[in-house]
Amino acid sequence: MKRILLFGNPNVGKSAIFTRLTGVKIIASNYPGTTVEYLVGKTRIENKDIEVVDVPGTYSLRPDSPAEKVAEKFIDESNPKETVIINVVDSTNLERNLNLTLHLLSTKFPVIVLLNFWDETKHKGITINIRKLSELLKVPVIPTVAITGYGIQELREKLSKATPSNFKVKEKDTWNLVGKIIKETQIIEHHHHTFLQILEEISTHPVLGVTFAGIVLFLSFLIIRLIGEGLIGFVFEPIFENLWAPVLLKFSAFLGDSNLLHKILIGEFIDGKIDFYQSFGVLSTGLFIPIAAVLPYIISFYFVLSILEDTGYLPRLAVLMDRFMHQIGIHGMGIVPMLLAFGCNVPGVLATRIMETRRERLIAATVMSISIPCMAQIAMIFGLLGKYGVRGIAPVFITLFLVWIVVGKLMARYVSGDSPEIFTEIPPYRVPYFKGLLKKVWLRVSWFLKEALPFVLIGVLIVNLFYILGFINLISKIFGPLLTKVLGLPAEAIAALFIGFLRKDVAIGMLAPLGLSMGQLITASVVLTMYFPCVATFVVLFKELKFWDTLKASIIMVSSALFVGWILNLIY
Amino acid sequence: MISLLEARKNVPLVVKSIEETRRGGRGGKGMGGVRGRGGGRRNLCRRFSNMGIREGTVIIKLSVQPFFGPILIRIGNCEIAVGRGMASSILVEEVSE
């Protein structure tokens, strides 16, 4: 045995089993957290390293959705002699899950069936005869509770002994057979509603649900700020001010403070000191922005989002938001990529794959890149406009929200194609598996560090080089007058717009030393968010949408950014 | 036989058949019936059956989201959200006690 494939319906706790089996080294083949990507890890069984693949959740082996196509590919690619399939089954939902199980048994692979969420069967009045089920399916059936680790040892012991089941069933007979198996193995008794079930009813209730959503989102926002600000104030800023600044000062003395290298690496002294927001050296501001100003919010945002995801709240929010999301031509599940985009637009764009049609993906990706600021931008906008309080910050977000609706509505009207309706399972509320949750947050955060950090450093380097070479002055002279007229921004701000192609947080940081008025800062923040995605987002946009749709999206972005900037300029 | 849209809430309903309907206008309005993805009724049946909705299944209509929002149904221990167009293609009958 060289490989283990974890198969199962969505929301059966597959990822928790995966986390239980594998160690620290997990490779996300692209961006994790969306349904289409898959994770690969390693486990040791009988002193051999074995690859474990967390295959995207699927209801059958017929490729109906992109996720199911990926699942099917794994079956086609793997060698049955060297692979074992672990079929994770939600034991509170045995009947529906068995459809996939029977499909898997009909392949040539050895299969082990896990009855996960075994502890929940008791609360829900379900009794399953495991021995009988195992006899009927002709493979081992093991009850598990991923959160506590119950059953995992037994699974490890049985893995190497798994054999193919030689089960044969025709496609059209599958459900009849499932019915027969259920009759022989499962008894369901009446049970009283648990606390979580009452919460479930509230959260999709037409009236109470909206109130509940308001409370959940408000609390999420509070927690994100609390954790983010806490990390900045008590951890990252002190580290930079007390530990890193002295090192840089020594380095500065070593370099001598008036040469080019000093200007590039450490930047300008502000009032005789290093100012991490304004000095603009690669090692000062270049390191500070991604690590101390943005990373804390990325950590806290993904922590909170992962909790919403793993408890099962997101699909409920999707149901509540369905009607509203149809305003922009996508169904309720579109709320998931939109929320992800607040962390970073890149995973947001990737997550649009959960939408079924090209039209939905184009609308979702464009609207998102135009009007949803990522955590890096939000952090910087708060940094710039925070001193004006709500008066400074609210106009930025209200404008962006209006843009979201208007651009979305226009696209829904003029982009051709289909927008299917929502059709999704709503899993019960569950207490998240904390270790798995932390692993997910870590994957997302490390992704940010790998992808964003180099761009920021290169961005700051280029800004400095451009200044030194006089390039920025040149662009300011050419485009400056136009933008001064339309947007009311000084010619120097053009440099920030230019750098915004690379990293928006760096760009917004460049506005700080310009001494702009509140109105100008609001205009600049909105235009910077809207006019074009950063390089990383642009690359995935291009990969996802291909040439023509990316071109369309880009034209919409630039023109709407100029238009909205012009309006804001008139207002302020 | 009535469509799931008209059925009463919180009573057991047995699925009688699944008919492809083409209610409403363009997808662009957002509320078009079952559209896209091609394949018509067979495809629709398969998507339903993957989620456990087949002829003969007993389901319960739990709630209807306002302003033409989706319909929530329960099958066994599982809750599913279905758009109205798709829901209109599920024909049901109340289970007689």
Side-chain angles (χ1 to χ4, degrees), chain A residues 518-540:
Chain A
M518 186 182 87
Q520 286 176 315
L521 283 174
I522 291 172
T523 311
S525 299
V526 171
V527 171
L528 264 172
T529 306
M530 287 177 61
Y531 81 109
F532 205 73
C534 66
V535 167
T537 310
F538 187 74
V539 171
V540 281

Side-chain angles (χ1 to χ4, degrees), chain A residues 60 62 64 92-93 95-96 126 175 204 206 319-320 322-323 326 356 359 418 421-426, chain B residues 28 30-32 35-37 46-51 54 65 67 70 72 77-81 83 85-86:
Chain A
S60 74
R62 274 170 169 267
D64 273 340
T92 64
N93 240 322
E95 184 167 357
R96 198 202 58 214
I126 299 166
W175 282 111
T204 47
V319 168
L320 287 180
D322 187 57
R323 186 65 199 114
H326 269 298
E356 287 108 297
R359 169 186 143 96
D418 287 311
E421 297 185 321
I422 195 168
F423 180 53
T424 185
E425 183 190 348
I426 316 240
Chain B
M31 298 310 299
R35 295 184 58 93
R37 294 178 61 96
R46 207 167 66 215
R47 285 189 77 196
F48 277 142
S49 106
N50 279 341
M51 292 275 209
R54 304 176 306 281
Q65 299 297 314
F67 312 114
L72 243 65
N77 261 313
C78 178
E79 266 178 46
I80 294 170
M86 287 176 89

Side-chain angles (χ1 to χ4, degrees), chain A residues 383-559:
Chain A
L384 271 187
L385 285 160
K387 59 180 178 227
Y388 300 106
V390 181
R391 216 160 48 92
I393 291 170
V396 175
F397 289 97
I398 292 172
T399 311
L400 290 175
F401 179 67
L402 290 176
V403 169
W404 187 87
I405 293 190
V406 172
V407 174
K409 267 206 168 281
L410 287 174
M411 288 189 78
R413 188 159 173 81
Y414 293 109
V415 177
S416 60
D418 287 311
S419 279
E421 297 185 321
I422 195 168
F423 180 53
T424 185
E425 183 190 348
I426 316 240
Y429 277 145
R430 282 179 172 129
V431 180
Y433 172 41
F434 204 65
K435 210 174 140 193
L437 189 134
L438 289 184
K439 225 178 221 186
K440 193 151 79 178
V441 174
W442 168 241
L443 268 173
R444 288 170 165 174
V445 169
S446 62
W447 183 89
F448 167 80
L449 283 177
K450 263 185 285 183
E451 298 290 317
L453 195 59
F455 274 113
V456 177
L457 295 181
I458 294 169
V460 175
L461 180 70
I462 291 181
V463 173
N464 282 322
L465 287 179
F466 278 12
Y467 267 119
I468 292 162
L469 295 173
F471 195 58
I472 299 271
N473 277 335
L474 190 71
I475 312 173
S476 304
K477 279 208 182 96
I478 300 171
F479 294 101
L482 174 78
L483 285 156
T484 315
K485 269 211 181 103
V486 178
L487 303 177
L489 297 174
E492 294 90 46
I494 189 84
L497 282 174
F498 200 72
I499 287 309
F501 284 110
L502 270 173
R503 280 296 298 182
K504 304 236 169 167
D505 38 357
V506 178
I508 298 179
M510 287 173 70
L511 299 173
L514 296 181
L516 301 180
S517 70
M518 186 182 87
Q520 286 176 315
L521 283 174
I522 291 172
T523 311
S525 299
V526 171
V527 171
L528 264 172
T529 306
M530 287 177 61
Y531 81 109
F532 205 73
C534 66
V535 167
T537 310
F538 187 74
V539 171
V540 281
L541 212 55
F542 192 80
K543 272 192 210 154
E544 292 299 304
L545 299 180
K546 302 291 176 307
F547 182 77
W548 284 113
D549 282 354
T550 311
L551 187 69
K552 277 183 212 163
S554 307
I555 292 171
I556 296 174
M557 283 171 209
V558 175
S559 49

Side-chain angles (χ1 to χ4, degrees), chain A residues 345-361:
Chain A
N345 278 192
V346 173
V349 171
L350 286 174
T352 57
R353 289 183 196 166
I354 61 171
M355 316 302 297
E356 287 108 297
T357 64
R358 183 196 138 253
R359 169 186 143 96
E360 290 176 296
R361 282 193 293 269

